Amino acid sequence: MQTFPVRTARREQLLDITGQVAAALRDGPDEGVCIVFVPHTTAAVTINENADPSVVADMLAKTSRMVPRDEGYAHAEGNSDAHIKASLVGSSVTIPIAGGRLALGTWQGIYFCEFDGPRSRTVHVQVLGR
Ligand code: ZN
């Protein structure tokens, strides 16, 4: 397994980590799968459009309306919205590897999703195949 650090700058932020994930495929298999895993409870990972930055802005704005920051949550740490968003988005994505490269669509990028930053974070990448 390979690991790389992510430093977020705001409480909520989507960071394009496609390049860091692709770098983990060096000397890897021609065919297989790449698993990207975020080992945090208030951050997540997803795949979405990396061409128009307004897509990312809309995703953050909508998730904030769906899960308000203060809504009488029980969790005393005060970041229940971040925990809920992390579970809604998910802690891993799996990408096929074809010809030694990530088989992402033309407009797809891999995004680290920060919901309780700014923080120093970690991303794990597991590459499987032949
Ligand atoms: Zn918490």
Side-chain angles (χ1 to χ4, degrees):
M1 187 176 74
Q2 301 176 63
T3 297
F4 63 84
V6 171
R7 176 75 206 174
T8 59
R10 296 187 292 279
R11 182 164 194 269
E12 298 196 341
Q13 186 175 12
L14 265 62
L15 284 172
D16 189 337
I17 57 169
T18 310
Q20 291 102 307
V21 175
L25 267 59
R26 281 193 205 113
D27 304 319
D30 281 343
E31 304 290 324
V33 292
C34 175
I35 301 164
V36 182
F37 180 77
V38 169
H40 303 289
T41 61
T42 55
V45 63
T46 194
I47 295 173
N48 216 302
E49 176 169 331
N50 65 359
D52 180 358
S54 64
V55 172
V56 163
D58 285 345
M59 289 170 62
L60 283 176
K62 183 62 179 178
T63 51
S64 288
R65 288 195 299 274
M66 291 165 60
V67 186
R69 184 163 184 178
D70 296 308
E71 206 171 53
Y73 302 114
H75 180 50
E77 197 184 9
N79 61 353
S80 275
D81 65 316
H83 289 292
I84 293 164
K85 290 169 193 166
S87 275
L88 288 175
V89 175
S91 57
S92 69
V93 293
T94 303
I95 304 123
I97 298 167
R101 303 171 62 114
L102 296 170
L104 290 167
T106 303
W107 307 112
Q108 286 184 315
I110 306 164
Y111 284 94
F112 182 90
C113 307
E114 176 63 82
F115 295 118
D116 195 26
R119 292 184 192 231
S120 292
R121 301 291 204 172
T122 296
V123 176
H124 296 317
V125 180
Q126 183 80 63
V127 176
L128 306 171
R130 57 181 168 75

PDB file of all heavy atoms in Angstrom, residues 41-61:
ATOM      1  N   THR A  41     -12.738  10.127   9.620  1.00  0.00           N
ATOM      2  CA  THR A  41     -14.185  10.067   9.843  1.00  0.00           C
ATOM      3  C   THR A  41     -14.906  11.360   9.467  1.00  0.00           C
ATOM      4  O   THR A  41     -16.134  11.409   9.513  1.00  0.00           O
ATOM      5  CB  THR A  41     -14.503   9.745  11.318  1.00  0.00           C
ATOM      6  OG1 THR A  41     -13.966  10.793  12.147  1.00  0.00           O
ATOM      7  CG2 THR A  41     -13.922   8.403  11.729  1.00  0.00           C
ATOM      8  N   THR A  42     -14.151  12.400   9.106  1.00  0.00           N
ATOM      9  CA  THR A  42     -14.775  13.658   8.681  1.00  0.00           C
ATOM     10  C   THR A  42     -14.246  14.106   7.317  1.00  0.00           C
ATOM     11  O   THR A  42     -14.280  15.280   6.985  1.00  0.00           O
ATOM     12  CB  THR A  42     -14.571  14.773   9.730  1.00  0.00           C
ATOM     13  OG1 THR A  42     -13.174  14.931   9.998  1.00  0.00           O
ATOM     14  CG2 THR A  42     -15.306  14.456  11.024  1.00  0.00           C
ATOM     15  N   ALA A  43     -13.734  13.170   6.559  1.00  0.00           N
ATOM     16  CA  ALA A  43     -13.294  13.414   5.185  1.00  0.00           C
ATOM     17  C   ALA A  43     -13.707  12.214   4.348  1.00  0.00           C
ATOM     18  O   ALA A  43     -14.051  11.156   4.889  1.00  0.00           O
ATOM     19  CB  ALA A  43     -11.780  13.627   5.116  1.00  0.00           C
ATOM     20  N   ALA A  44     -13.687  12.385   3.035  1.00  0.00           N
ATOM     21  CA  ALA A  44     -14.177  11.333   2.145  1.00  0.00           C
ATOM     22  C   ALA A  44     -13.445  11.420   0.816  1.00  0.00           C
ATOM     23  O   ALA A  44     -12.533  12.235   0.642  1.00  0.00           O
ATOM     24  CB  ALA A  44     -15.686  11.485   1.944  1.00  0.00           C
ATOM     25  N   VAL A  45     -13.844  10.544  -0.117  1.00  0.00           N
ATOM     26  CA  VAL A  45     -13.257  10.582  -1.464  1.00  0.00           C
ATOM     27  C   VAL A  45     -14.360  10.282  -2.468  1.00  0.00           C
ATOM     28  O   VAL A  45     -15.249   9.467  -2.213  1.00  0.00           O
ATOM     29  CB  VAL A  45     -12.067   9.588  -1.584  1.00  0.00           C
ATOM     30  CG1 VAL A  45     -12.508   8.153  -1.380  1.00  0.00           C
ATOM     31  CG2 VAL A  45     -11.342   9.764  -2.920  1.00  0.00           C
ATOM     32  N   THR A  46     -14.317  10.989  -3.598  1.00  0.00           N
ATOM     33  CA  THR A  46     -15.311  10.761  -4.639  1.00  0.00           C
ATOM     34  C   THR A  46     -14.692  11.022  -6.012  1.00  0.00           C
ATOM     35  O   THR A  46     -13.568  11.526  -6.115  1.00  0.00           O
ATOM     36  CB  THR A  46     -16.556  11.648  -4.423  1.00  0.00           C
ATOM     37  OG1 THR A  46     -17.628  11.183  -5.253  1.00  0.00           O
ATOM     38  CG2 THR A  46     -16.268  13.108  -4.745  1.00  0.00           C
ATOM     39  N   ILE A  47     -15.434  10.664  -7.041  1.00  0.00           N
ATOM     40  CA  ILE A  47     -15.016  10.911  -8.422  1.00  0.00           C
ATOM     41  C   ILE A  47     -16.077  11.793  -9.066  1.00  0.00           C
ATOM     42  O   ILE A  47     -17.276  11.488  -8.983  1.00  0.00           O
ATOM     43  CB  ILE A  47     -14.868   9.588  -9.201  1.00  0.00           C
ATOM     44  CG1 ILE A  47     -13.726   8.751  -8.613  1.00  0.00           C
ATOM     45  CG2 ILE A  47     -14.641   9.861 -10.691  1.00  0.00           C
ATOM     46  CD1 ILE A  47     -13.610   7.360  -9.210  1.00  0.00           C
ATOM     47  N   ASN A  48     -15.640  12.903  -9.672  1.00  0.00           N
ATOM     48  CA  ASN A  48     -16.595  13.741 -10.387  1.00  0.00           C
ATOM     49  C   ASN A  48     -15.863  14.633 -11.389  1.00  0.00           C
ATOM     50  O   ASN A  48     -14.662  14.476 -11.582  1.00  0.00           O
ATOM     51  CB  ASN A  48     -17.458  14.551  -9.424  1.00  0.00           C
ATOM     52  CG  ASN A  48     -18.877  14.696  -9.950  1.00  0.00           C
ATOM     53  OD1 ASN A  48     -19.089  15.207 -11.037  1.00  0.00           O
ATOM     54  ND2 ASN A  48     -19.843  14.215  -9.184  1.00  0.00           N
ATOM     55  N   GLU A  49     -16.591  15.557 -11.976  1.00  0.00           N
ATOM     56  CA  GLU A  49     -16.035  16.358 -13.073  1.00  0.00           C
ATOM     57  C   GLU A  49     -14.879  17.234 -12.605  1.00  0.00           C
ATOM     58  O   GLU A  49     -14.973  17.924 -11.588  1.00  0.00           O
ATOM     59  CB  GLU A  49     -17.133  17.243 -13.665  1.00  0.00           C
ATOM     60  CG  GLU A  49     -16.581  18.167 -14.744  1.00  0.00           C
ATOM     61  CD  GLU A  49     -17.667  18.863 -15.535  1.00  0.00           C
ATOM     62  OE1 GLU A  49     -18.752  18.307 -15.677  1.00  0.00           O
ATOM     63  OE2 GLU A  49     -17.399  19.976 -16.015  1.00  0.00           O
ATOM     64  N   ASN A  50     -13.808  17.216 -13.398  1.00  0.00           N
ATOM     65  CA  ASN A  50     -12.652  18.051 -13.072  1.00  0.00           C
ATOM     66  C   ASN A  50     -12.417  19.148 -14.108  1.00  0.00           C
ATOM     67  O   ASN A  50     -11.365  19.771 -14.131  1.00  0.00           O
ATOM     68  CB  ASN A  50     -11.391  17.194 -12.908  1.00  0.00           C
ATOM     69  CG  ASN A  50     -10.979  16.511 -14.194  1.00  0.00           C
ATOM     70  OD1 ASN A  50     -11.636  16.655 -15.221  1.00  0.00           O
ATOM     71  ND2 ASN A  50      -9.891  15.765 -14.157  1.00  0.00           N
ATOM     72  N   ALA A  51     -13.401  19.393 -14.967  1.00  0.00           N
ATOM     73  CA  ALA A  51     -13.232  20.415 -16.006  1.00  0.00           C
ATOM     74  C   ALA A  51     -13.766  21.772 -15.547  1.00  0.00           C
ATOM     75  O   ALA A  51     -13.077  22.781 -15.645  1.00  0.00           O
ATOM     76  CB  ALA A  51     -13.925  19.975 -17.288  1.00  0.00           C
ATOM     77  N   ASP A  52     -14.999  21.789 -15.050  1.00  0.00           N
ATOM     78  CA  ASP A  52     -15.628  23.044 -14.635  1.00  0.00           C
ATOM     79  C   ASP A  52     -15.635  23.118 -13.109  1.00  0.00           C
ATOM     80  O   ASP A  52     -16.338  22.348 -12.459  1.00  0.00           O
ATOM     81  CB  ASP A  52     -17.064  23.086 -15.171  1.00  0.00           C
ATOM     82  CG  ASP A  52     -17.776  24.372 -14.768  1.00  0.00           C
ATOM     83  OD1 ASP A  52     -17.173  25.202 -14.049  1.00  0.00           O
ATOM     84  OD2 ASP A  52     -18.935  24.537 -15.178  1.00  0.00           O
ATOM     85  N   PRO A  53     -14.855  24.043 -12.518  1.00  0.00           N
ATOM     86  CA  PRO A  53     -14.769  24.112 -11.054  1.00  0.00           C
ATOM     87  C   PRO A  53     -16.098  24.446 -10.378  1.00  0.00           C
ATOM     88  O   PRO A  53     -16.244  24.221  -9.178  1.00  0.00           O
ATOM     89  CB  PRO A  53     -13.736  25.215 -10.800  1.00  0.00           C
ATOM     90  CG  PRO A  53     -13.431  25.837 -12.104  1.00  0.00           C
ATOM     91  CD  PRO A  53     -13.983  24.982 -13.195  1.00  0.00           C
ATOM     92  N   SER A  54     -17.078  24.948 -11.138  1.00  0.00           N
ATOM     93  CA  SER A  54     -18.370  25.245 -10.512  1.00  0.00           C
ATOM     94  C   SER A  54     -19.096  23.967 -10.100  1.00  0.00           C
ATOM     95  O   SER A  54     -19.968  23.999  -9.234  1.00  0.00           O
ATOM     96  CB  SER A  54     -19.240  26.085 -11.446  1.00  0.00           C
ATOM     97  OG  SER A  54     -19.549  25.371 -12.608  1.00  0.00           O
ATOM     98  N   VAL A  55     -18.741  22.825 -10.698  1.00  0.00           N
ATOM     99  CA  VAL A  55     -19.339  21.551 -10.277  1.00  0.00           C
ATOM    100  C   VAL A  55     -18.973  21.261  -8.824  1.00  0.00           C
ATOM    101  O   VAL A  55     -19.824  20.916  -7.996  1.00  0.00           O
ATOM    102  CB  VAL A  55     -18.885  20.394 -11.196  1.00  0.00           C
ATOM    103  CG1 VAL A  55     -19.337  19.051 -10.641  1.00  0.00           C
ATOM    104  CG2 VAL A  55     -19.428  20.592 -12.606  1.00  0.00           C
ATOM    105  N   VAL A  56     -17.702  21.406  -8.500  1.00  0.00           N
ATOM    106  CA  VAL A  56     -17.237  21.177  -7.130  1.00  0.00           C
ATOM    107  C   VAL A  56     -17.900  22.166  -6.162  1.00  0.00           C
ATOM    108  O   VAL A  56     -18.340  21.793  -5.076  1.00  0.00           O
ATOM    109  CB  VAL A  56     -15.697  21.292  -7.080  1.00  0.00           C
ATOM    110  CG1 VAL A  56     -15.200  21.476  -5.663  1.00  0.00           C
ATOM    111  CG2 VAL A  56     -15.073  20.056  -7.714  1.00  0.00           C
ATOM    112  N   ALA A  57     -18.003  23.424  -6.578  1.00  0.00           N
ATOM    113  CA  ALA A  57     -18.642  24.433  -5.727  1.00  0.00           C
ATOM    114  C   ALA A  57     -20.100  24.075  -5.478  1.00  0.00           C
ATOM    115  O   ALA A  57     -20.593  24.192  -4.340  1.00  0.00           O
ATOM    116  CB  ALA A  57     -18.521  25.812  -6.387  1.00  0.00           C
ATOM    117  N   ASP A  58     -20.791  23.626  -6.515  1.00  0.00           N
ATOM    118  CA  ASP A  58     -22.192  23.226  -6.349  1.00  0.00           C
ATOM    119  C   ASP A  58     -22.325  22.027  -5.420  1.00  0.00           C
ATOM    120  O   ASP A  58     -23.258  21.956  -4.609  1.00  0.00           O
ATOM    121  CB  ASP A  58     -22.809  22.872  -7.708  1.00  0.00           C
ATOM    122  CG  ASP A  58     -23.117  24.102  -8.545  1.00  0.00           C
ATOM    123  OD1 ASP A  58     -23.122  25.220  -7.993  1.00  0.00           O
ATOM    124  OD2 ASP A  58     -23.352  23.929  -9.759  1.00  0.00           O
ATOM    125  N   MET A  59     -21.405  21.067  -5.534  1.00  0.00           N
ATOM    126  CA  MET A  59     -21.479  19.878  -4.674  1.00  0.00           C
ATOM    127  C   MET A  59     -21.312  20.256  -3.208  1.00  0.00           C
ATOM    128  O   MET A  59     -22.052  19.770  -2.339  1.00  0.00           O
ATOM    129  CB  MET A  59     -20.418  18.857  -5.103  1.00  0.00           C
ATOM    130  CG  MET A  59     -20.759  18.202  -6.436  1.00  0.00           C
ATOM    131  SD  MET A  59     -19.405  17.224  -7.107  1.00  0.00           S
ATOM    132  CE  MET A  59     -19.218  15.985  -5.840  1.00  0.00           C
ATOM    133  N   LEU A  60     -20.357  21.136  -2.909  1.00  0.00           N
ATOM    134  CA  LEU A  60     -20.164  21.564  -1.518  1.00  0.00           C
ATOM    135  C   LEU A  60     -21.364  22.362  -1.017  1.00  0.00           C
ATOM    136  O   LEU A  60     -21.814  22.178   0.121  1.00  0.00           O
ATOM    137  CB  LEU A  60     -18.886  22.398  -1.392  1.00  0.00           C
ATOM    138  CG  LEU A  60     -17.577  21.624  -1.406  1.00  0.00           C
ATOM    139  CD1 LEU A  60     -16.397  22.579  -1.379  1.00  0.00           C
ATOM    140  CD2 LEU A  60     -17.506  20.651  -0.225  1.00  0.00           C
ATOM    141  N   ALA A  61     -21.881  23.243  -1.853  1.00  0.00           N
ATOM    142  CA  ALA A  61     -23.020  24.066  -1.438  1.00  0.00           C
ATOM    143  C   ALA A  61     -24.247  23.197  -1.174  1.00  0.00           C
ATOM    144  O   ALA A  61     -24.967  23.395  -0.186  1.00  0.00           O
ATOM    145  CB  ALA A  61     -23.321  25.109  -2.514  1.00  0.00           C
TER     146      ALA A  61
END
